[in-house]
Amino acid sequence: MAPKAKPIMIQGTGSSVGKSILTTGLCRVFRNDGHNVAPFKSQNMALNSYITEDGGEMGRAQVVQAEAAGKKPDVRMNPILLKPSTDQEAQVILLGEAVDSLGAVDYHSKKPELVSLVRSAYEGLAAENDIIVIEGAGSPAEINLRDNDLVNMGMAEIADAPVLLVGDIDKGGVFASLYGTIMLLSEEERKRVKGMIINKFRGDVKLLEPGLRQIEELTGIPVLGVVPYTELKIEDEDSLSERFRVKAESHGKVNVEVLYLPHVSNFTDFDVFGMQEDVNLRYVMRGERIGDPDILIIPGTKTTMSDLQFLRDSGLADQIYELHRKGRMIIGLCGGFQILGKTIQDPHHAESTIDEMPGLGLLDVDTVFETIKTTTQVFGRISGMRGAFEELNGMELKGYEIHMGHSYRRMGAPHIIDIYNRFGLDTEVADGSVDETGKIIGTYVHGIFDNLLFTRNLVNIIRKEKGLDKLQAPLETYEDFKDKEYNKLAELLKSCLNMDKIYEILG
């Protein structure tokens, strides 16, 4: 029998304290130190998902962590994914497949049945690796959820994992949150906590030292390091990311704005724009107006009809029409593509109780929701771009699809991507659509912008329209760029964490 991996678990005093990024960084540290490592998060609640090579759906945070670990994404790394569809209900995805939509109470009652699934997924990974870095969710001190817990201390027990507890000092009250979390744990749970990490610190760490000594004395648990606040360009776990609260800098030459819809999904589709030095990327948050973008992007959404109604009620739809009249580029991705069409039909009430709703009408397509979800990686090439964007035709693309419906082009309406490989098989599928101006575009292909040559050429066409010189495409791929960021994160953690102690904790 293969030796079982050594586990270590990252838990936090609350959501958005940095569990995901620290898990990512430790995966890269261990990988760079020569270990065979994999990430694991038993249950993730997020609308940001990814499709693996075999068509399974999993949280993007574990995809990022897999990349940092040098592994292909595997649904066992995230056996349970919950995708909220309303404030009361979420789609439940088990080992990559959507199985049901449940309310919180119903899902909580099913947790005992899910323990064996989680255990099996974890043990499968553990048999293939030296180290498993496990990420918790929220806080282990949610005492109302302790029964049947399978993502924090319940998971630590399944894996027999030591725990590192992370607190976010940038929010204030880090010592109270660390102490309070530990005191709300049971005695057996407290024994699992082998170290504390303070994250997102700004300033001179010497000012913290009296507090570090006191929290160690109060809890009997060592502080393993203080991680400085950093702005590495690595994907964030969820929509609470600070990126959405920060105004874009003014030095950019091409302005790209993304509508932050109420049920936005896969917002990391646009991270690649943030690494372009000549692009000014801004997310239009609720209550804000669209600015004066060269490119407006309507992203994917878990509830297309609801978010389309939001665009109308908020006045954003009228602003979109005004941009169209100005001749600006508008790109709809997945749910955004559906929103740009003529109609959205839901005959099976897969998403709502509404049978049909008019779209924004900017593309000659009609969407029909179905009960079966399409989840696949795809390969294709650009084929139907018009006007100044014709030079993009022929470019190769790789991406993935996650959608519940199909969009049908009306007579004569062109498509923009020839998909030639889907589900790992040769095929001929016409995807997306474009209007007669060439400026309104829709596609189902997530990850389209991760193809750097395509994105750079798209930005250069806009630059030319604005009277600016074209810039050369970067020599590195987006994968190379991300790999450098993972290494920067690993070096940062090695400089500020007591890695000798962490290896000792690992055993």
Side-chain angles (χ1 to χ4, degrees):
M1 181 180 290
K4 192 174 181 180
K6 299 285 188 181
I8 192 162
M9 187 168 191
I10 308 299
Q11 296 186 15
T13 58
S15 297
S16 299
V17 300
K19 295 185 293 293
S20 293
I21 197 76
L22 290 176
T23 300
T24 301
L26 285 175
C27 281
R28 179 48 62 102
V29 169
F30 294 139
R31 183 239 191 186
N32 285 352
D33 285 350
H35 298 287
N36 190 13
V37 59
F40 184 85
K41 185 169 184 175
S42 57
Q43 173 190 294
N44 194 355
M45 177 174 281
L47 287 174
N48 221 24
S49 61
Y50 175 84
I51 302 303
T52 63
E53 286 183 353
D54 58 1
E57 187 172 2
M58 61 184 288
R60 276 206 70 99
Q62 281 63 63
V63 172
V64 169
Q65 292 159 1
E67 290 174 350
K71 295 291 175 64
K72 287 186 177 181
D74 183 327
V75 294
R76 293 178 300 171
M77 298 170 179
N78 174 212
I80 304 174
L81 175 62
L82 305 177
K83 300 185 75 172
S85 50
T86 69
D87 291 341
Q88 303 293 328
E89 196 170 85
Q91 184 180 60
V92 180
I93 296 167
L94 302 181
L95 288 176
E97 294 188 12
V99 298
D100 207 346
S101 289
L102 296 173
V105 173
D106 290 337
Y107 174 73
H108 193 64
S109 69
K110 288 184 177 294
K111 280 186 176 180
E113 303 171 24
L114 299 175
V115 171
S116 61
L117 178 142
V118 168
R119 188 187 302 276
S120 175
Y122 172 78
E123 290 181 349
L125 286 176
E128 299 167 10
N129 292 275
D130 304 329
I131 298 173
I132 304 291
V133 186
I134 307 170
E135 181 188 346
S139 163
E142 305 291 354
I143 54 179
N144 58 310
L145 300 176
R146 178 171 284 154
D147 292 345
N148 302 323
D149 169 59
L150 47 73
V151 69
N152 286 308
M153 283 301 177
M155 184 62 226
E157 184 176 345
I158 290 171
D160 193 18
V163 172
L164 306 183
L165 183 64
V166 181
D168 176 4
I169 195 170
D170 195 50
K171 293 179 178 177
V174 69
F175 295 117
S177 59
L178 286 168
Y179 183 79
T181 298
I182 291 166
M183 290 302 106
L184 282 172
L185 300 177
S186 70
E187 184 177 350
E188 287 302 310
E189 290 170 340
R190 280 197 292 273
K191 289 178 182 178
R192 287 200 177 275
V193 182
K194 303 300 184 182
M196 296 178 287
I197 297 172
I198 292 179
N199 195 26
K200 304 183 189 178
F201 179 70
R202 308 175 195 244
D204 189 340
V205 74
K206 289 190 183 327
L207 296 175
L208 267 187
E209 288 176 354
L212 301 182
R213 289 192 295 270
Q214 190 171 355
I215 194 68
E216 288 180 332
E217 292 169 0
L218 286 168
T219 63
I221 300 169
V223 175
L224 301 181
V226 177
V227 181
Y229 188 92
T230 182
E231 293 185 358
L232 290 172
K233 294 179 179 177
I234 294 174
E235 288 184 16
D236 295 302
E237 159 68 351
D238 55 36
S239 59
L240 297 177
S241 167
E242 293 174 3
R243 79 175 79 185
F244 305 122
R245 320 242 187 270
V246 179
K247 296 294 184 183
E249 297 177 5
S250 59
H251 68 269
K253 300 295 185 181
V254 172
N255 297 308
V256 177
E257 296 194 2
V258 180
L259 295 181
Y260 191 80
L261 302 172
H263 302 95
V264 64
S265 63
N266 288 65
F267 53 80
T268 50
D269 281 330
F270 320 111
D271 278 8
V272 66
F273 285 111
M275 65 168 279
Q276 308 294 317
E277 293 183 359
D278 59 330
V279 172
N280 184 20
L281 177 63
R282 174 192 171 222
Y283 290 84
V284 182
M285 303 301 291
R286 189 178 300 203
E288 296 181 345
R289 291 181 59 83
I290 298 171
D292 190 26
D294 301 297
I295 302 174
L296 177 73
I297 299 175
I298 307 176
T301 165
K302 187 67 177 68
T303 54
T304 304
M305 286 183 164
S306 172
D307 284 358
L308 171 56
Q309 190 60 49
F310 162 78
L311 293 180
R312 290 196 168 103
D313 294 343
S314 65
L316 290 172
D318 292 334
Q319 296 171 46
I320 292 170
Y321 290 134
E322 180 59 28
L323 283 179
H324 178 43
R325 285 190 287 271
K326 290 181 177 179
R328 302 300 165 81
M329 172 166 265
I330 300 171
I331 301 175
L333 192 57
C334 197
F337 170 35
Q338 297 171 342
I339 284 171
L340 286 173
K342 297 292 187 183
T343 64
I344 300 172
Q345 301 165 36
D346 191 2
H348 307 290
H349 294 165
E351 184 185 286
S352 72
T353 58
I354 301 172
D355 293 325
E356 183 173 325
M357 177 182 286
L360 295 183
L362 297 179
L363 288 176
D364 282 332
V365 297
D366 299 285
T367 296
V368 180
F369 288 152
E370 298 172 357
T371 55
I372 299 175
K373 180 186 285 192
T374 298
T375 58
T376 180
Q377 289 191 1
V378 298
F379 294 84
R381 63 179 60 89
I382 300 293
S383 64
M385 301 294 277
R386 296 182 170 190
F389 300 96
E390 284 184 355
E391 64 183 82
L392 297 174
N393 291 333
M395 286 191 167
E396 297 287 325
L397 296 173
K398 176 185 177 183
Y400 56 98
E401 296 179 67
I402 316 173
H403 53 93
M404 290 291 287
H406 288 277
S407 296
Y408 302 92
R409 289 175 300 281
R410 295 188 177 185
M411 188 66 68
H415 66 282
I416 64 163
I417 300 177
D418 291 322
I419 293 175
Y420 57 79
N421 188 286
R422 206 175 184 207
F423 299 105
L425 302 172
D426 292 342
T427 188
E428 294 182 7
V429 175
D431 170 81
S433 190
V434 59
D435 79 332
E436 60 185 13
T437 71
K439 290 288 188 80
I440 310 294
I441 296 168
T443 177
Y444 275 119
V445 179
H446 291 278
I448 184 173
F449 301 116
D450 289 356
N451 299 273
L452 275 190
L453 188 59
F454 167 78
T455 301
R456 172 39 51 193
N457 278 273
L458 175 66
V459 171
N460 272 338
I461 293 169
I462 300 294
R463 288 180 63 87
K464 183 178 180 181
E465 287 188 340
K466 298 182 72 169
L468 301 170
D469 293 335
K470 290 186 176 182
L471 295 183
Q472 292 297 314
L475 297 178
E476 61 188 357
T477 65
Y478 192 39
E479 287 72 22
D480 291 334
F481 175 84
K482 290 190 289 185
D483 204 56
K484 290 180 179 179
E485 294 297 296
Y486 296 144
N487 282 332
K488 289 178 187 176
L489 175 59
E491 289 304 311
L492 174 69
L493 295 189
K494 289 179 75 172
S495 71
C496 61
L497 295 183
N498 186 342
M499 288 306 304
D500 289 340
K501 182 65 175 177
I502 289 175
Y503 272 116
E504 180 184 322
I505 290 167
L506 267 169

